Amino acid sequence: MKIGILGTGNVGRALAAGWSGAGHDVVLGSRRPDDTGLRAELAAALGEAVPVVDVSSAVAGAGVVVNATPGTASVPLLAEVGAPALAGKVLLDVAVGFTEDGALSHLGESLGEEIQRSYPDTMVVKTLCTIDSELMVAPDSLEGPSTVFLSGDDAEAKRTVGGLLNDLGWPTESLLDLGGIATARGQEHYSLLFLGIAGAIGAYGFGIRVVPPARS
Amino acid sequence: MKIGILGTGNVGRALAAGWSGAGHDVVLGSRRPDDTGLRAELAAALGEAVPVVDVSSAVAGAGVVVNATPGTASVPLLAEVGAPALAGKVLLDVAVGFTEDGALSHLGESLGEEIQRSYPDTMVVKTLCTIDSELMVAPDSLEGPSTVFLSGDDAEAKRTVGGLLNDLGWPTESLLDLGGIATARGQEHYSLLFLGIAGAIGAYGFGIRVVPPARS
C-alpha cells in the first residue's frame, strides 16, 4: 500500500515508522520539505526509508492519505492540495483541533465531518484520535486489550483502514466501527475525557476498552 | 446516610433501589409528589421502602443530595430548592443535558460546573454520567471491570461519594478521580462517544475501562 502521511509531528512520525516497518511504501508530506533542519530530524527519527516530499506529491502518489496535521491546520492544508487530487482516495483522519485556550475547535461538530463535507469524492475515515501517538503503533504496551474506533461513510474505506490498523498491531477484535462519519463527533469530543484521565493517571499512554455486558 | 434523590426517572429509581438495598435511608424528591399515578408506579418499582416527597423536603432531610433530573431541567429545579437549603451538602450530580435536537446543552462547558458556580457553598461531585442507569447499580453485569469517574473540588465530598459508589458495587479500584469540577467536562462530553458505542454494539449496558500501560 502506498501511504502519504501529511504532517511531520509526533503522530506523523509514529505512523510513518509503524507502517514503513510493516512493509508499506510510506512518504511524509511537509509544507517545507526542503527545510534541512527538519530533514535531518526526520532522518534521525526514521532513517532514510521514509522520503520527505511536498504535500501535493505525498497525496499524488498515495492510495491512502493520512491527515496527521494539527486539527486547526488541516482544512487550509487540504485546500492547498485540492479536491481533484484527493478524489477517489481514502483519507485516514487522525487529527483533533484545539484552539489556543484549549477548547475543541469543532465543538458540537467534528473535523472529520468538515473534511468529508468539503471533499465529497474522498472517503474519510476517522480513527486513532482517541489515543496517544506512541500507543498508536504499540497497542501491546498496554496492560490488556483496548478499543480503537472507526467512523466513516464508506464501508470499503473502513475495511482498508482496518487492515492498516491490523498492520500497526491492533487486532480486529479491538476495532469498533461506530458508523458514519457523523460519529467522528464522539471520538473527537472524547478528547476532553482523555485529557482528564491523562491528568489523573499521569500518563498519556493509556487506552480505553469498551467492556460489554457479560454473556448470560 | 440520608440520601435525597431529585428525579424519579430511570436513573433516580435505579439509584434509589441500589442505595436503599445497601441500607441507606433514601427518599425520592419529585415536583409532583401527590401524583397518584406516579406514586403507584414508584411503589410498584421500589416498594414502600422509598418515600416520595417534594423536592425541598428531599433536600432538607438529606446529607447527600443526588441530581438525577434531566440535565436541561436541573438548573431551574435546583433554583426552586434554593442555595440556603443546599449549603453545606454534598450534591452528587449524575445528569447530562441534551437539547431537543440531540446536542449537548452544555457544549464546551458542563452542567456540573454550572451547578457548582451557582451554589458555591455546596460540594458538587460529578459521577456515574458515563454509564446507563441499569449498570450504575450492577457493575458485575459486565464481562470485566470498568471505570467510573469522579470530578469535584472538595476531596472529602469525593470520599463520601466514593463510599456510596462502593455501596452500589463499584470497587475502589474502579474509581478514577479526575480532579476538580472542571473535569466534569470530559465526563459529559463523553456522552457523544457513549451514544456512538451504544449504536455500534446495540446495547446501553456497557462500560469503558481505562487500560493503563503495562508494568515494565
Side-chain angles (χ1 to χ4, degrees), chain B residues 133-166:
Chain B
S133 59
E134 288 183 31
L135 179 58
M136 289 178 190
V137 298
D140 289 343
S141 67
L142 297 179
E143 199 190 67
S146 78
T147 306
V148 168
F149 305 97
L150 294 94
S151 303
D153 292 338
D154 189 279
E156 181 59 32
K158 283 192 280 196
R159 272 192 292 277
T160 300
V161 169
L164 290 174
L165 294 172
N166 293 156

Side-chain angles (χ1 to χ4, degrees), chain A residues 104 107-109 130 140-146 149 176-179 183 185-187 189-190 192-194 196-197 199-201 203 205-215, chain B residues 104 107-109 130 140-146 149 176-179 183 185-187 189-190 192-194 196-197 199-201 203 205-215:
Chain A
L104 282 174
L107 210 53
E109 227 249 323
T130 56
D140 289 344
S141 67
L142 297 180
E143 198 189 68
S146 77
F149 305 98
L176 185 59
D177 180 354
L178 296 178
T183 63
R185 251 173 241 211
Q187 293 195 58
H189 284 69
Y190 165 76
L192 300 179
L193 184 56
F194 174 89
I197 296 168
I201 70 171
F206 66 89
I208 55 168
R209 175 180 172 241
V210 173
V211 185
R215 293 204 187 89
Chain B
L104 281 175
L107 208 53
E109 226 250 324
T130 56
D140 289 343
S141 67
L142 297 179
E143 199 190 67
S146 78
F149 305 97
L176 185 60
D177 180 355
L178 297 178
T183 63
R185 248 171 244 209
Q187 292 195 59
H189 283 69
Y190 165 75
L192 300 180
L193 184 56
F194 174 89
I197 296 169
I201 72 171
F206 65 89
I208 55 168
R209 176 180 172 241
V210 173
V211 185
R215 291 201 191 92

Side-chain angles (χ1 to χ4, degrees), chain A residues 84-111:
Chain A
L86 291 163
K89 296 189 193 279
V90 173
L91 193 150
L92 190 163
D93 174 32
V94 184
V96 180
F98 287 94
T99 61
E100 275 179 23
D101 60 355
L104 282 174
S105 62
H106 286 70
L107 210 53
E109 227 249 323
S110 67
L111 175 62

Side-chain angles (χ1 to χ4, degrees), chain B residues 50-205:
Chain B
V50 180
V52 186
V53 299
D54 65 82
V55 290
S56 290
S57 302
V59 169
V64 172
V65 177
V66 178
N67 177 33
T69 63
T72 49
S74 304
V75 170
L77 186 125
L78 291 171
E80 274 180 40
V81 175
L86 290 164
K89 295 189 193 283
V90 173
L91 194 151
L92 191 163
D93 175 31
V94 184
V96 179
F98 287 93
T99 62
E100 276 179 23
D101 60 354
L104 281 175
S105 62
H106 286 70
L107 208 53
E109 226 250 324
S110 68
L111 176 61
E113 288 167 280
E114 184 183 0
I115 296 174
Q116 183 62 82
R117 206 166 48 234
S118 305
Y119 303 99
D121 297 329
T122 302
M123 289 81 84
V124 179
V125 179
K126 189 98 204 183
T127 190
L128 285 174
C129 71
T130 56
I131 51 182
D132 189 55
S133 59
E134 288 183 31
L135 179 58
M136 289 178 190
V137 298
D140 289 343
S141 67
L142 297 179
E143 199 190 67
S146 78
T147 306
V148 168
F149 305 97
L150 294 94
S151 303
D153 292 338
D154 189 279
E156 181 59 32
K158 283 192 280 196
R159 272 192 292 277
T160 300
V161 169
L164 290 174
L165 294 172
N166 293 156
D167 293 340
L168 295 177
W170 292 95
T172 299
E173 56 271 27
S174 286
L175 311 184
L176 185 60
D177 180 355
L178 297 178
I181 192 65
T183 63
R185 248 171 244 209
Q187 292 195 59
E188 295 187 24
H189 283 69
Y190 165 75
S191 302
L192 300 180
L193 184 56
F194 174 89
L195 292 171
I197 296 169
I201 72 171
Y204 288 98

Side-chain angles (χ1 to χ4, degrees), chain A residues 17-141:
Chain A
W19 281 317
S20 172
H24 293 295
D25 189 0
V26 181
V27 300
L28 277 169
S30 167
R31 265 180 165 162
R32 36 190 189 97
D34 300 320
D35 180 321
T36 50
L38 176 67
R39 296 190 78 90
E41 217 181 275
L42 292 172
L46 295 167
E48 300 296 332
V50 180
V52 187
V53 300
D54 65 84
V55 290
S56 290
S57 302
V59 169
V64 172
V65 176
V66 177
N67 176 32
T69 63
T72 49
S74 304
V75 170
L77 185 125
L78 291 171
E80 275 180 39
V81 174
L86 291 163
K89 296 189 193 279
V90 173
L91 193 150
L92 190 163
D93 174 32
V94 184
V96 180
F98 287 94
T99 61
E100 275 179 23
D101 60 355
L104 282 174
S105 62
H106 286 70
L107 210 53
E109 227 249 323
S110 67
L111 175 62
E113 287 167 280
E114 184 184 0
I115 296 174
Q116 183 62 82
R117 208 169 45 237
S118 305
Y119 302 99
D121 297 330
T122 302
M123 290 80 83
V124 179
V125 180
K126 188 100 205 181
T127 191
L128 285 175
C129 70
T130 56
I131 50 181
D132 188 54
S133 59
E134 288 183 30
L135 180 58
M136 289 178 188
V137 297
D140 289 344
S141 67

